[in-house]
């Protein structure tokens, strides 16, 4: 008879990267600084990718990166209060709309965005 899963087996196991990971960085001075991101709930997280292909597919070919071991990445982020590590994330945020797109207002007026300025346009009233 097959063994039924126990309550301790109910959730997925945490994914721990083996070996080195590719970490997005930004140039600063004569070195680099690890880029930190936010989770959908707003918590700060370090991000790592298991391949350069996944990193460039998510963040673009121009994104600088470093190869680090996972413990080294944690050693850089834990002292500044970032304990979460997201491995191989997918970009899910939609691109922002261009500045000159009209967006309907919930109050019935129309918003017209032009070069960053907002102009409300509504029905004309006769006095």
């Amino acid at each position: 008879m097959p063994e039924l899963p126990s309550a301790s087996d109910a959730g997925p196991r945490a994914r721990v990267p083996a070996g080195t990971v590719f970490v997005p960085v930004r140039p600063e001075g004569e070195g680099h600084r690890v880029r930190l991101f936010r989770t959908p709930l707003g918590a700060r997280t370090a991000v790592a990718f298991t391949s350069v292909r996944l990193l460039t597919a998510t963040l673009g070919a121009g994104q600088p990166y470093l190869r680090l071991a996972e413990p080294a990445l944690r050693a850089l982020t834990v002292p500044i209060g970032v304990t979460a590590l997201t491995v191989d994330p997918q970009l899910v945020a939609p691109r922002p709309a261009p500045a000159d797109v009209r967006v309907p207002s919930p109050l019935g007026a129309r918003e017209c965005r032009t070069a960053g300025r907002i102009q409300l346009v509504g029905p004309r009233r006769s006095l």
Side-chain angles (χ1 to χ4, degrees):
M1 176 179 261
E3 203 173 291
L4 295 175
S6 67
S8 63
D9 295 336
R13 292 186 180 178
R15 182 175 174 192
V16 178
T20 59
V21 290
F22 301 90
V23 180
V25 296
R26 66 173 191 234
E28 184 169 297
E30 296 194 21
H32 292 89
R33 181 174 288 219
V34 173
R35 282 188 63 189
L36 298 175
F37 294 82
R38 296 221 177 246
T39 66
L41 297 176
R44 293 190 312 167
T45 182
V47 170
F49 294 87
T50 55
S51 73
V52 174
R53 181 184 60 80
L54 290 171
L55 184 141
T56 56
T58 304
L59 299 175
Q63 174 61 57
Y65 63 89
L66 292 175
R67 249 180 115 173
L68 293 173
E70 183 258 342
L73 176 57
R74 288 191 185 275
L76 291 171
T77 59
V78 168
I80 58 173
V82 179
T83 58
L85 172 60
T86 304
V87 179
D88 292 334
Q90 296 178 357
L91 183 63
V92 295
R95 289 183 179 224
D100 60 349
V101 172
R102 290 179 184 237
V103 180
S105 168
L107 300 176
R110 291 180 295 147
E111 285 186 27
C112 176
R113 296 177 185 258
T114 307
R117 297 176 64 204
I118 298 175
Q119 175 186 7
L120 291 176
V121 180
R124 292 187 177 227
R125 287 195 216 168
S126 304
L127 297 178

